[in-house]
Amino acid sequence: MEYKTATNEMADAVHNVLHTTIQTVYPKYYPKEVSEFFCHHHSKEHILSGISSGNMGVLTDNGVIVGTGCFDKNHITGLYVLPSYQKRGCGSYIMDCLETKIAEKYDTIILDASLPAVFIYENRGYKTIGHGIIELKNDVKLVYEIMEKKLSTN
């Protein structure tokens, strides 16, 4: 496994990781409007914007992109791993890379956690500091946790 900075040539593969993961995992926890919201949010244009920031990375396994992570300043803005690669340490590996990069400039990391991911982040030392709600169509509400982790300054 290797984590490296994403390039424009990787945009289609990143799009595949995002949409496959969203369409496979999110329906287990959220109404269809939430999956639709995230698929729309993670458009090709949005992905290319993340790539151009220099803050989006990809995790590869034998040259195949199996996961992606992105951050903006001290905010982790996304972490997705193909369902067939989940529960194999890929997400933890991406998180390690994102946290290391953010720690170069910041002493606190913030992220927005989906309901199924809260427990994973708590195990990494993140604490819930707030709750977010996004109103979607059909009176559906996307609820998520706003979490932070204080980094040691030793």
Side-chain angles (χ1 to χ4, degrees):
M1 297 278 183
E2 178 186 12
Y3 189 75
K4 57 188 172 186
T5 303
T7 64
N8 286 342
E9 295 75 30
M10 298 172 179
D12 286 337
V14 170
H15 185 270
N16 177 61
V17 168
L18 293 168
H19 285 246
T20 299
T21 304
I22 291 164
Q23 292 168 351
T24 303
V25 176
Y26 282 34
K28 296 174 186 175
Y29 302 94
Y30 293 112
K32 67 179 174 65
E33 289 85 356
V34 173
S35 296
E36 292 169 356
F37 168 81
F38 277 105
C39 283
H40 178 74
H41 176 71
H42 292 295
S43 65
K44 291 266 177 78
E45 294 77 20
H46 184 259
I47 293 165
L48 288 169
S49 175
I51 290 171
S52 70
S53 74
N55 297 334
M56 179 178 278
V58 295
L59 181 65
T60 61
D61 181 28
N62 293 320
V64 176
I65 295 173
V66 301
T68 185
C70 194
F71 68 96
D72 180 28
K73 298 179 183 158
N74 70 326
H75 186 178
I76 295 175
T77 58
L79 190 156
Y80 291 85
V81 175
L82 285 173
S84 60
Y85 281 81
Q86 292 177 5
K87 298 184 179 13
R88 295 167 59 181
C90 296
S92 292
Y93 187 79
I94 294 171
M95 282 296 292
D96 291 344
C97 294
L98 293 172
E99 289 177 349
T100 299
K101 190 69 175 166
I102 292 169
E104 292 173 3
K105 295 182 181 177
Y106 300 94
D107 60 3
T108 302
I109 299 175
I110 298 171
L111 57 79
D112 301 332
S114 62
L115 298 179
V118 170
F119 184 70
I120 294 166
Y121 295 127
E122 284 177 343
N123 284 337
R124 291 187 66 90
Y126 287 82
K127 306 285 185 217
T128 298
I129 59 168
H131 307 280
I133 298 175
I134 299 174
E135 303 274 341
L136 303 176
K137 63 183 179 181
N138 301 327
D139 291 324
V140 171
K141 293 172 179 51
L142 166 58
V143 179
Y144 58 94
E145 303 287 302
I146 302 166
M147 304 183 82
E148 80 172 8
K149 179 180 182 177
K150 303 279 187 193
L151 303 172
S152 63
T153 56
N154 306 3

